Amino acid sequence: MQKQQQLETAQQTGRKSERSAVSHQASMAAKESSIHEGVSLEQMLSSESMKRAWKQVKRNKGAAGIDGMTIEQAKPYLQQHWEEIRESLLEGDYHPQPVRRVDIPKPGGGERMLGVPTVLDRLLQQAMAQLLTPVFDPTFSESSYGFRPKRSAHQAVRAAREYISQGRNWVVDLDLSKFFDRVNHDILMSKIVRRVHDKRLLKLISSWLTAGIMSNGIKQARTEGTPQGGPLSPLLANILLDGMDKRLEEAGHNFCRYADDCNVYVQSERAGQRVMTWMREYLEDSLKLKVNETKSAVDRPEKRSFLGFTFERGKRKVKTRIAKKSWERFQGRVRTTTKRGQGCSLESVIQRLNRYLQGWKGYYRLAETRSTMQQIDAWIRRRLRCFILKQWKRPKTRANELRKLGGKESWSIISSKGLWRLSKSRATHSGLNNKFFKERGLYTLSEAWT
């Protein structure tokens, strides 16, 4: 009797689960259908949408495009001409201006090309991104972290550390060569058209992709790529690479992707080589992208970096560390900021240094390296002592100034030794001590590190 009751209960539970699953699928289908039906150019250009987009563009600031119009200048212009712009968009007569080319140095050498759209095009791209994100983002992989709502690089790093802690001791570290410059327009648009049915929206996206680049007064046509610098480009990158994510998920792989930076964590080198071969074939054959062979590898996680971090396997747990190249960039920036003989005050140097240190700490706070921070703090203070000694110029002036600060005069401070050596002397430390820099508001990494 008891067994029969248990069987009946199980059957009832199963029927409820089936009804619940069917109901959920129907709900999701209805929701997706309603989203698609509601995605239109009119919705993008609504007053609420444009106000929200303007707030974001203003918050992001950014340089002027090829028309030279700044954020401040754009507001009165838009207030005066918005109805004309809106009408041209609805009629399909709007033509985006080419992006302004800006080359910035890459951390590992070489240059990265940014395309700076005009403020108007940035505003419209932001409105388009707001419109399309609810359509595409809910179906993106849980292992995709880049440029998505409520997702971050820190989440990706934590997930990577967890995979390594679970015993996945090999990583497929795949780097795409000039990804944003090589995005195939036809392949990308074929993925967008599956969910976006308003032809005016499709035409507008296509026009941004082919708007061209202005460099040294010469317009260069663009047949591939989506320039970094526009608000829409990150979403388009996720749309293009989502197919790769889905295939990795279907194969049961554990991975983390942040934009075009993808790491797959496996249990053996052999498995890693198989994954690398498959990913290379898919990316190059299906998406027409190019894998950077010199920067891609199957290796131990501690020998590779991911989003500026690396990992170290301890006795009890896997620890997050700051990657070597990240340290080198940090030291280079501090050296530039504290360069001697700049002709500016110590207060202004500390102010600029604090802004950088606070932002840097905000990103790298995941690293378990507080003891290292104490060494870094000491190094920064020593560089600032060199900066001050350089400003005082003459040895006699240095001795007098240090005496005013309560320092003890020493033969070493008035000698002809180099500033770096003098900065470590007892005389310098007694006057320009830690309290001196604390009183002037110098940000201390070791105290802020948690």
Side-chain angles (χ1 to χ4, degrees), residues 142-145 151-173 253-258 261-266 299-302 304-313 317-321 363 366 368:
E142 288 297 312
S143 297
S144 170
Y145 296 90
R151 288 181 165 263
S152 67
H154 285 177
Q155 291 175 329
V157 173
R158 289 191 187 100
R161 182 178 61 192
E162 181 61 26
Y163 293 145
I164 299 167
S165 299
Q166 293 170 1
R168 292 171 178 82
N169 299 320
W170 291 86
V171 60
V172 182
D173 186 359
H253 290 302
N254 298 108
F255 68 98
C256 301
R257 183 176 67 78
Y258 193 94
D261 198 347
C262 184
N263 278 10
V264 185
Y265 296 89
V266 294
D299 208 340
R300 297 289 189 179
E302 57 267 26
R304 310 297 295 182
S305 64
F306 181 55
L307 301 178
F309 294 89
T310 189
F311 304 96
E312 180 182 300
R313 191 177 298 279
K317 66 173 186 176
V318 175
K319 295 183 179 180
T320 308
R321 303 297 194 194
Y363 182 76
L366 286 184
E368 300 162 89

Side-chain angles (χ1 to χ4, degrees), residues 107-109 294-295 304-305 308-310 322-332 356 360 364:
T294 59
K295 293 184 178 181
R304 310 297 295 182
S305 64
F309 294 89
T310 189
I322 299 173
K324 182 181 177 181
K325 288 184 178 179
S326 300
W327 276 123
E328 291 172 352
R329 288 196 294 271
F330 170 80
Q331 291 173 326
Y356 175 67
W360 187 86
Y364 286 101

Side-chain angles (χ1 to χ4, degrees), residues 20 23 43 63 66 73 129 147 223 248 294 324 362 365 397 434:
S20 176
S23 175
Q43 184 179 348
I66 63 168
Q73 295 168 334
F147 308 105
T223 57
L248 286 169
T294 59
K324 182 181 177 181
R365 67 180 184 271
T397 304
N434 293 4

Side-chain angles (χ1 to χ4, degrees), residues 284-296:
E284 295 185 349
D285 295 343
S286 299
L287 300 184
K288 308 303 179 187
L289 298 171
K290 180 68 176 175
V291 174
N292 189 328
E293 300 292 347
T294 59
K295 293 184 178 181
S296 301

Side-chain angles (χ1 to χ4, degrees), residues 388-389 392 394-415 425-433 436 440:
I388 296 168
L389 291 173
W392 288 340
R394 296 170 60 192
K396 189 174 181 180
T397 304
R398 294 170 188 162
N400 290 334
E401 293 294 336
L402 286 172
R403 195 180 300 112
K404 292 177 186 177
L405 293 168
K408 298 178 180 179
E409 186 179 343
S410 168
W411 68 270
S412 62
I413 203 63
I414 59 174
S415 72
S425 70
R426 184 177 299 176
T428 304
H429 270 260
S430 61
L432 302 175
N433 52 30
F436 170 87
R440 281 151 185 80

